[in-house]
Short mmCIF file of all heavy atoms in Angstrom, two decimals:
data_model
loop_
_atom_site.label_atom_id
_atom_site.label_comp_id
_atom_site.label_asym_id
_atom_site.label_seq_id
_atom_site.Cartn_x
_atom_site.Cartn_y
_atom_site.Cartn_z
N VAL A 155 -60.33 -7.03 -14.59
CA VAL A 155 -60.28 -6.00 -15.65
C VAL A 155 -61.64 -5.26 -15.60
O VAL A 155 -62.67 -5.77 -15.89
CB VAL A 155 -60.00 -6.64 -17.02
CG1 VAL A 155 -59.93 -5.59 -18.08
CG2 VAL A 155 -58.91 -7.55 -17.07
N GLY A 156 -61.57 -3.94 -15.22
CA GLY A 156 -62.72 -3.14 -15.21
C GLY A 156 -63.29 -2.88 -13.79
O GLY A 156 -63.54 -3.81 -13.03
N ALA A 157 -63.47 -1.56 -13.46
CA ALA A 157 -63.93 -1.19 -12.12
C ALA A 157 -65.40 -0.71 -12.21
O ALA A 157 -65.73 0.26 -11.54
CB ALA A 157 -63.00 -0.15 -11.50
N GLY A 158 -66.19 -1.29 -13.09
CA GLY A 158 -67.63 -1.08 -13.07
C GLY A 158 -68.19 -1.84 -11.95
O GLY A 158 -67.57 -2.49 -11.12
N ILE A 159 -69.60 -1.83 -11.85
CA ILE A 159 -70.25 -2.55 -10.72
C ILE A 159 -69.87 -4.03 -10.77
O ILE A 159 -69.72 -4.62 -9.71
CB ILE A 159 -71.81 -2.25 -10.75
CG1 ILE A 159 -72.50 -2.91 -9.50
CG2 ILE A 159 -72.46 -2.84 -12.02
CD1 ILE A 159 -72.10 -2.20 -8.24
N VAL A 160 -69.82 -4.59 -11.94
CA VAL A 160 -69.47 -6.06 -12.04
C VAL A 160 -68.08 -6.36 -11.46
O VAL A 160 -67.87 -7.29 -10.68
CB VAL A 160 -69.70 -6.58 -13.46
CG1 VAL A 160 -69.24 -8.03 -13.62
CG2 VAL A 160 -71.20 -6.40 -13.84
N GLY A 161 -67.14 -5.61 -11.96
CA GLY A 161 -65.70 -5.81 -11.48
C GLY A 161 -65.59 -5.64 -10.02
O GLY A 161 -64.95 -6.40 -9.33
N VAL A 178 -57.75 -3.41 -12.43
CA VAL A 178 -57.20 -2.45 -13.46
C VAL A 178 -58.33 -1.79 -14.17
O VAL A 178 -59.26 -2.36 -14.71
CB VAL A 178 -56.39 -3.29 -14.47
CG1 VAL A 178 -55.64 -2.26 -15.39
CG2 VAL A 178 -55.39 -4.21 -13.82
N GLU A 179 -58.27 -0.44 -14.17
CA GLU A 179 -59.34 0.36 -14.79
C GLU A 179 -58.74 1.44 -15.68
O GLU A 179 -57.90 2.21 -15.23
CB GLU A 179 -60.21 1.01 -13.72
CG GLU A 179 -61.16 2.06 -14.13
CD GLU A 179 -62.15 1.62 -15.25
OE1 GLU A 179 -62.80 0.59 -15.10
OE2 GLU A 179 -62.16 2.23 -16.34
N ARG A 180 -59.23 1.46 -16.85
CA ARG A 180 -58.70 2.43 -17.90
C ARG A 180 -59.10 3.85 -17.60
O ARG A 180 -58.29 4.84 -17.70
CB ARG A 180 -59.22 2.02 -19.25
CG ARG A 180 -58.80 2.86 -20.39
CD ARG A 180 -59.38 2.34 -21.70
NE ARG A 180 -60.81 1.93 -21.53
CZ ARG A 180 -61.34 1.08 -22.36
NH1 ARG A 180 -60.73 0.50 -23.34
NH2 ARG A 180 -62.60 0.76 -22.16
N ASP A 181 -60.33 4.04 -17.12
CA ASP A 181 -60.94 5.39 -16.97
C ASP A 181 -60.95 5.77 -15.55
O ASP A 181 -61.85 5.34 -14.84
CB ASP A 181 -62.30 5.36 -17.66
CG ASP A 181 -63.04 6.66 -17.45
OD1 ASP A 181 -62.48 7.62 -16.99
OD2 ASP A 181 -64.24 6.65 -17.76
N ALA A 187 -68.05 4.49 -18.02
CA ALA A 187 -68.63 3.31 -17.53
C ALA A 187 -70.10 3.49 -17.32
O ALA A 187 -70.46 4.61 -16.85
CB ALA A 187 -67.95 2.88 -16.24
N ALA A 188 -70.85 2.43 -17.56
CA ALA A 188 -72.30 2.53 -17.39
C ALA A 188 -72.69 2.63 -15.91
O ALA A 188 -73.76 3.13 -15.53
CB ALA A 188 -73.04 1.30 -17.99
N SER A 189 -71.79 2.17 -15.05
CA SER A 189 -72.23 1.90 -13.66
C SER A 189 -72.42 3.22 -12.80
O SER A 189 -73.03 3.16 -11.72
CB SER A 189 -71.17 1.08 -12.94
OG SER A 189 -71.06 -0.14 -13.61
N ASN A 192 -76.24 5.67 -13.93
CA ASN A 192 -77.50 5.01 -14.44
C ASN A 192 -78.69 5.33 -13.54
O ASN A 192 -78.61 6.11 -12.60
CB ASN A 192 -77.26 3.45 -14.50
CG ASN A 192 -76.89 2.84 -13.21
OD1 ASN A 192 -77.63 2.93 -12.26
ND2 ASN A 192 -75.72 2.25 -13.09
N ALA A 193 -79.82 4.65 -13.77
CA ALA A 193 -81.08 5.00 -13.11
C ALA A 193 -81.07 4.45 -11.66
O ALA A 193 -81.94 4.89 -10.89
CB ALA A 193 -82.27 4.52 -13.88
N GLY A 194 -80.27 3.59 -11.28
CA GLY A 194 -80.11 3.16 -9.92
C GLY A 194 -81.24 2.18 -9.44
O GLY A 194 -81.41 2.02 -8.25
N ILE A 195 -81.96 1.57 -10.34
CA ILE A 195 -83.04 0.69 -9.92
C ILE A 195 -82.64 -0.78 -9.88
O ILE A 195 -81.98 -1.27 -10.84
CB ILE A 195 -84.29 0.84 -10.90
CG1 ILE A 195 -84.59 2.32 -11.14
CG2 ILE A 195 -85.50 0.13 -10.29
CD1 ILE A 195 -85.71 2.54 -12.15
N THR A 368 -55.18 2.90 -16.67
CA THR A 368 -54.30 1.81 -17.34
C THR A 368 -55.29 0.80 -18.00
O THR A 368 -56.25 0.46 -17.38
CB THR A 368 -53.49 1.15 -16.23
OG1 THR A 368 -52.66 2.17 -15.64
CG2 THR A 368 -52.59 0.06 -16.82
N GLU A 369 -54.82 0.40 -19.17
CA GLU A 369 -55.68 -0.51 -19.90
C GLU A 369 -55.02 -1.88 -19.96
O GLU A 369 -53.79 -2.03 -20.06
CB GLU A 369 -55.83 -0.01 -21.31
CG GLU A 369 -56.82 -0.77 -22.20
CD GLU A 369 -56.94 -0.18 -23.57
OE1 GLU A 369 -56.26 0.89 -23.85
OE2 GLU A 369 -57.64 -0.73 -24.33
N VAL A 370 -55.79 -2.93 -19.80
CA VAL A 370 -55.30 -4.30 -20.12
C VAL A 370 -55.40 -4.55 -21.56
O VAL A 370 -56.54 -4.47 -22.10
CB VAL A 370 -56.11 -5.35 -19.29
CG1 VAL A 370 -55.69 -6.74 -19.68
CG2 VAL A 370 -55.92 -5.17 -17.81
N ALA A 409 -64.22 -8.08 -16.78
CA ALA A 409 -65.47 -7.38 -16.44
C ALA A 409 -65.42 -6.05 -17.14
O ALA A 409 -65.59 -5.02 -16.43
CB ALA A 409 -65.66 -7.29 -14.95
N GLY A 410 -65.08 -6.00 -18.35
CA GLY A 410 -64.84 -4.69 -19.07
C GLY A 410 -66.15 -4.05 -19.71
O GLY A 410 -66.04 -3.22 -20.52
N GLY A 411 -67.31 -4.54 -19.28
CA GLY A 411 -68.54 -3.98 -19.82
C GLY A 411 -68.58 -4.07 -21.34
O GLY A 411 -68.13 -5.14 -21.86
N TRP A 413 -66.68 -2.86 -23.43
CA TRP A 413 -65.37 -2.98 -24.05
C TRP A 413 -64.74 -4.28 -23.98
O TRP A 413 -63.49 -4.44 -24.11
CB TRP A 413 -64.49 -1.83 -23.45
CG TRP A 413 -64.97 -0.47 -23.57
CD1 TRP A 413 -64.73 0.40 -24.62
CD2 TRP A 413 -65.87 0.24 -22.73
NE1 TRP A 413 -65.35 1.57 -24.48
CE2 TRP A 413 -66.06 1.55 -23.34
CE3 TRP A 413 -66.53 -0.09 -21.53
CZ2 TRP A 413 -66.90 2.46 -22.77
CZ3 TRP A 413 -67.34 0.87 -20.98
CH2 TRP A 413 -67.58 2.10 -21.52
N LEU A 417 -60.65 -8.26 -25.80
CA LEU A 417 -59.98 -9.20 -24.94
C LEU A 417 -60.63 -10.61 -25.09
O LEU A 417 -59.96 -11.61 -25.05
CB LEU A 417 -59.91 -8.80 -23.50
CG LEU A 417 -59.00 -7.55 -23.21
CD1 LEU A 417 -59.04 -7.22 -21.72
CD2 LEU A 417 -57.57 -7.86 -23.61
N GLY A 432 -77.30 4.79 -23.21
CA GLY A 432 -78.48 5.32 -22.55
C GLY A 432 -78.22 6.66 -22.02
O GLY A 432 -77.08 7.06 -21.69
N TYR A 433 -79.34 7.47 -21.93
CA TYR A 433 -79.19 8.89 -21.51
C TYR A 433 -79.78 9.04 -20.10
O TYR A 433 -80.76 8.37 -19.78
CB TYR A 433 -79.94 9.82 -22.41
CG TYR A 433 -79.47 9.95 -23.82
CD1 TYR A 433 -78.93 8.91 -24.50
CD2 TYR A 433 -79.59 11.17 -24.55
CE1 TYR A 433 -78.49 9.02 -25.86
CE2 TYR A 433 -79.19 11.33 -25.82
CZ TYR A 433 -78.66 10.24 -26.47
OH TYR A 433 -78.26 10.38 -27.81
N TRP A 509 -76.06 13.04 -19.06
CA TRP A 509 -74.99 12.02 -18.98
C TRP A 509 -75.42 10.88 -19.97
O TRP A 509 -76.61 10.65 -20.15
CB TRP A 509 -74.98 11.42 -17.55
CG TRP A 509 -74.05 10.26 -17.33
CD1 TRP A 509 -72.74 10.29 -17.07
CD2 TRP A 509 -74.45 8.85 -17.35
NE1 TRP A 509 -72.27 9.01 -16.93
CE2 TRP A 509 -73.29 8.12 -17.13
CE3 TRP A 509 -75.57 8.17 -17.58
CZ2 TRP A 509 -73.28 6.69 -17.11
CZ3 TRP A 509 -75.62 6.82 -17.53
CH2 TRP A 509 -74.44 6.06 -17.27
N GLY A 511 -74.24 6.69 -20.85
CA GLY A 511 -73.29 5.52 -20.60
C GLY A 511 -73.66 4.38 -21.58
O GLY A 511 -74.76 4.35 -22.17
N PHE A 512 -72.67 3.50 -21.69
CA PHE A 512 -72.86 2.41 -22.67
C PHE A 512 -73.17 1.09 -21.92
O PHE A 512 -72.32 0.51 -21.25
CB PHE A 512 -71.55 2.23 -23.43
CG PHE A 512 -71.22 3.38 -24.31
CD1 PHE A 512 -70.09 4.21 -24.03
CD2 PHE A 512 -71.97 3.72 -25.46
CE1 PHE A 512 -69.82 5.27 -24.84
CE2 PHE A 512 -71.65 4.76 -26.23
CZ PHE A 512 -70.57 5.53 -25.99
N ARG A 513 -74.43 0.63 -22.15
CA ARG A 513 -74.84 -0.64 -21.53
C ARG A 513 -74.19 -1.73 -22.39
O ARG A 513 -74.24 -1.69 -23.64
CB ARG A 513 -76.31 -0.80 -21.52
CG ARG A 513 -77.13 0.35 -21.03
CD ARG A 513 -78.60 -0.02 -21.29
NE ARG A 513 -79.52 1.03 -20.86
CZ ARG A 513 -79.96 1.99 -21.62
NH1 ARG A 513 -79.60 2.09 -22.87
NH2 ARG A 513 -80.89 2.83 -21.16
N PRO A 514 -73.65 -2.81 -21.77
CA PRO A 514 -73.13 -3.90 -22.57
C PRO A 514 -74.27 -4.83 -22.96
O PRO A 514 -74.73 -5.64 -22.12
CB PRO A 514 -72.14 -4.59 -21.61
CG PRO A 514 -72.54 -4.13 -20.23
CD PRO A 514 -73.39 -2.93 -20.32
N THR A 536 -69.88 -10.13 -18.21
CA THR A 536 -70.37 -8.95 -18.86
C THR A 536 -71.66 -9.19 -19.55
O THR A 536 -72.26 -10.23 -19.46
CB THR A 536 -69.30 -8.40 -19.83
OG1 THR A 536 -69.73 -7.13 -20.37
CG2 THR A 536 -69.01 -9.36 -20.99
N HIS A 538 -74.62 -7.41 -19.28
CA HIS A 538 -75.80 -7.35 -18.40
C HIS A 538 -76.80 -6.30 -18.85
O HIS A 538 -77.86 -6.10 -18.25
CB HIS A 538 -75.44 -6.98 -16.97
CG HIS A 538 -74.61 -8.04 -16.32
ND1 HIS A 538 -73.29 -8.27 -16.62
CD2 HIS A 538 -74.92 -8.97 -15.39
CE1 HIS A 538 -72.86 -9.22 -15.89
NE2 HIS A 538 -73.80 -9.70 -15.08
N ALA A 539 -76.53 -5.65 -19.96
CA ALA A 539 -77.41 -4.70 -20.61
C ALA A 539 -78.09 -3.72 -19.66
O ALA A 539 -77.44 -2.98 -18.93
CB ALA A 539 -78.44 -5.47 -21.45
N MET A 540 -79.40 -3.83 -19.49
CA MET A 540 -80.15 -2.89 -18.69
C MET A 540 -80.27 -3.24 -17.22
O MET A 540 -80.97 -2.63 -16.41
CB MET A 540 -81.58 -2.71 -19.24
CG MET A 540 -81.54 -2.33 -20.72
SD MET A 540 -83.11 -2.40 -21.51
CE MET A 540 -83.86 -0.89 -20.96
N MET A 541 -79.60 -4.38 -16.79
CA MET A 541 -79.70 -4.89 -15.47
C MET A 541 -78.41 -5.01 -14.71
O MET A 541 -78.36 -5.76 -13.77
CB MET A 541 -80.41 -6.29 -15.52
CG MET A 541 -81.69 -6.38 -16.09
SD MET A 541 -82.24 -8.06 -16.06
CE MET A 541 -83.39 -8.03 -17.39
N GLY A 542 -77.38 -4.40 -15.23
CA GLY A 542 -76.10 -4.67 -14.64
C GLY A 542 -75.93 -4.18 -13.23
O GLY A 542 -75.26 -4.88 -12.38
N LEU A 543 -76.59 -3.06 -12.83
CA LEU A 543 -76.54 -2.62 -11.48
C LEU A 543 -77.27 -3.65 -10.62
O LEU A 543 -76.75 -4.10 -9.54
CB LEU A 543 -77.22 -1.26 -11.35
CG LEU A 543 -77.29 -0.80 -9.86
CD1 LEU A 543 -76.00 -0.18 -9.46
CD2 LEU A 543 -78.47 0.18 -9.67
N SER A 544 -78.40 -4.08 -11.05
CA SER A 544 -79.18 -5.04 -10.27
C SER A 544 -78.48 -6.39 -10.06
O SER A 544 -78.50 -6.96 -9.03
CB SER A 544 -80.49 -5.37 -11.04
OG SER A 544 -81.21 -4.25 -11.33
C1 FAD B 645 -79.04 5.35 -18.79
C2 FAD B 645 -78.78 4.01 -18.14
C3 FAD B 645 -79.68 3.65 -17.09
C4 FAD B 645 -79.48 2.41 -16.52
N1 FAD B 645 -80.31 2.03 -15.47
C5 FAD B 645 -80.11 0.82 -14.81
C6 FAD B 645 -80.91 0.50 -13.72
O1 FAD B 645 -81.75 1.21 -13.33
N2 FAD B 645 -80.77 -0.76 -13.14
C7 FAD B 645 -79.81 -1.58 -13.60
O2 FAD B 645 -79.70 -2.73 -13.07
N3 FAD B 645 -78.99 -1.23 -14.63
C8 FAD B 645 -79.15 -0.06 -15.28
N4 FAD B 645 -78.32 0.28 -16.36
C9 FAD B 645 -77.38 -0.68 -16.82
C10 FAD B 645 -76.11 -0.78 -15.96
O3 FAD B 645 -75.65 0.56 -15.82
C11 FAD B 645 -75.06 -1.61 -16.64
O4 FAD B 645 -75.60 -2.88 -17.01
C12 FAD B 645 -73.89 -1.82 -15.74
O5 FAD B 645 -73.42 -0.65 -15.23
C13 FAD B 645 -72.75 -2.61 -16.41
O6 FAD B 645 -71.70 -2.73 -15.51
P1 FAD B 645 -70.26 -3.31 -16.00
O7 FAD B 645 -69.44 -3.31 -14.76
O8 FAD B 645 -70.47 -4.56 -16.75
O9 FAD B 645 -69.74 -2.24 -17.03
P2 FAD B 645 -69.19 -0.73 -16.92
O10 FAD B 645 -69.88 -0.02 -15.78
O11 FAD B 645 -69.29 -0.14 -18.21
O12 FAD B 645 -67.72 -0.91 -16.45
C14 FAD B 645 -66.79 -1.50 -17.26
C15 FAD B 645 -65.46 -0.89 -16.92
O13 FAD B 645 -64.34 -1.60 -17.49
C16 FAD B 645 -63.38 -0.69 -17.96
N5 FAD B 645 -62.57 -1.43 -18.97
C17 FAD B 645 -63.01 -1.91 -20.13
N6 FAD B 645 -62.07 -2.58 -20.83
C18 FAD B 645 -60.94 -2.35 -20.01
C19 FAD B 645 -59.55 -2.73 -20.23
N7 FAD B 645 -59.18 -3.48 -21.31
N8 FAD B 645 -58.68 -2.43 -19.32
C20 FAD B 645 -59.02 -1.69 -18.20
N9 FAD B 645 -60.35 -1.27 -17.98
C21 FAD B 645 -61.23 -1.66 -18.87
C22 FAD B 645 -64.12 0.46 -18.45
O14 FAD B 645 -63.37 1.67 -18.56
C23 FAD B 645 -65.28 0.55 -17.49
O15 FAD B 645 -64.98 1.44 -16.39
C24 FAD B 645 -78.46 1.54 -16.96
C25 FAD B 645 -77.58 1.91 -17.94
C26 FAD B 645 -77.74 3.16 -18.53
C27 FAD B 645 -76.75 3.62 -19.60
#
Side-chain angles (χ1 to χ4, degrees):
V155 183
I159 186 67
V160 172
V178 187
E179 169 54 54
R180 179 178 42 202
D181 175 7
S189 299
N192 61 56
I195 312 175
T368 301
E369 185 178 3
V370 173
W413 298 269
L417 288 181
Y433 294 35
W509 173 86
F512 295 110
R513 309 173 182 97
T536 184
H538 296 74
M540 306 169 80
M541 297 180 206
L543 176 82
S544 306

